[in-house]
Amino acid sequence: MKVYAIDGITPVIDPTAYVHPTAVLIGDVIIGPRCYVGPAACLRGDFGRLVLKEGANIQDTCVMHGFPNSDTVVEEDGHIGHGAVLHGCTIKKNALVGMNAVIMDGAVVGESSIVAAMGFVKAKFEVPDRTLVAGSPAKVIRELSEGEISWKSAGTRQYQDLAVRSLNTMEEVDALTEVEADRKRLEINVDEVIPLYKLKEQQSQKAD
């Protein structure tokens, strides 16, 4: 990873967290226990403080930044999808920010809530706890079901496991030139990591 101090302030990474070698951390960045920071993520703490609390993940190509004297915070078990941008906002415990969503300054994404992919949460907007918001600007769509919140939590556990897997087994290698005859597959518990639409299909079939 690329880690840079600025004005005498150095990023902090808990030993149990995993930060991909291509991620960039600058200045006042604090990565807590069991966090996962994905490839090409950029956490630029050169104005305000950036904090990932225990068990949070920020995935590939995400950006965290903020204005001077602001904190940008992802609380415990927060889950930030591919390509999302967080700027001077707070993501509460167990919330999910979908792929390519943008969360602006002073916004608060409530506990166990979900911001849909491509959502734009405007400055100072407060997403209520346990709700789904979507759109640009994002609006409250409905309350989340217990099943949806459980699905989110299961996905976050997979990223916490991925931090451990990455710390233990990820290494830089040369690519093979052909596929091995007995090529292994990744052994993942697929029951816990299905897409949300499949979960809804399963629930619909049970209801029928």
Side-chain angles (χ1 to χ4, degrees):
M1 76 200 78
K2 296 290 188 178
V3 180
Y4 302 91
I6 189 168
D7 296 335
I9 299 177
T10 301
V12 177
I13 304 171
D14 186 276
T16 62
Y18 176 79
V19 179
H20 191 272
T22 61
V24 177
L25 277 57
I26 299 171
D28 197 2
V29 178
I30 302 171
I31 308 295
R34 301 169 55 240
C35 290
Y36 174 87
V37 178
C42 179
L43 285 71
R44 223 181 88 208
D46 48 13
F47 288 162
R49 176 169 292 178
L50 312 180
V51 181
L52 295 185
K53 296 190 177 181
E54 183 169 2
N57 69 75
I58 183 161
Q59 298 169 22
D60 31 314
T61 74
C62 287
V63 173
M64 287 183 73
H65 194 238
F67 283 110
N69 301 315
S70 69
D71 287 1
T72 305
V73 180
V74 180
E75 293 188 355
E76 292 86 350
D77 299 335
H79 188 109
I80 313 303
H82 319 291
V85 176
L86 308 181
H87 202 280
C89 57
T90 299
I91 312 302
K92 291 288 192 177
K93 182 177 180 180
N94 200 45
L96 182 152
V97 174
M99 293 181 278
N100 287 312
V102 176
I103 318 297
M104 291 301 293
D105 301 275
V108 178
V109 176
E111 185 172 332
S112 298
S113 59
I114 294 177
V115 177
M118 302 292 289
F120 176 79
V121 178
K122 63 184 181 181
K124 298 187 71 175
F125 185 80
E126 295 196 13
V127 177
D129 295 350
R130 303 171 67 89
T131 60
L132 170 67
V133 301
S136 181
K139 297 180 180 178
V140 175
I141 304 301
R142 58 176 173 80
E143 292 185 2
L144 292 168
S145 68
E146 289 295 336
E148 288 168 325
I149 294 171
S150 295
W151 168 85
K152 182 271 162 197
S153 296
T156 301
R157 286 194 296 273
Q158 291 291 339
Y159 270 89
Q160 292 163 353
D161 290 344
L162 179 58
V164 175
R165 290 167 54 209
S166 298
L167 285 169
N168 290 338
T169 71
M170 188 175 289
E171 57 183 329
E172 187 171 358
V173 297
D174 293 325
L176 303 176
T177 57
E178 59 183 32
V179 178
E180 314 98 298
D182 58 347
R183 185 174 179 84
K184 296 185 347 182
R185 285 187 175 271
L186 294 168
E187 297 180 3
I188 308 294
N189 182 355
V190 295
D191 292 335
E192 285 201 332
V193 288
I194 62 173
L196 186 55
Y197 79 88
K198 286 192 175 182
L199 174 68
K200 291 185 176 181
E201 286 176 353
Q202 290 177 358
Q203 291 173 339
S204 178
Q205 290 168 359
K206 289 179 181 178
D208 294 342

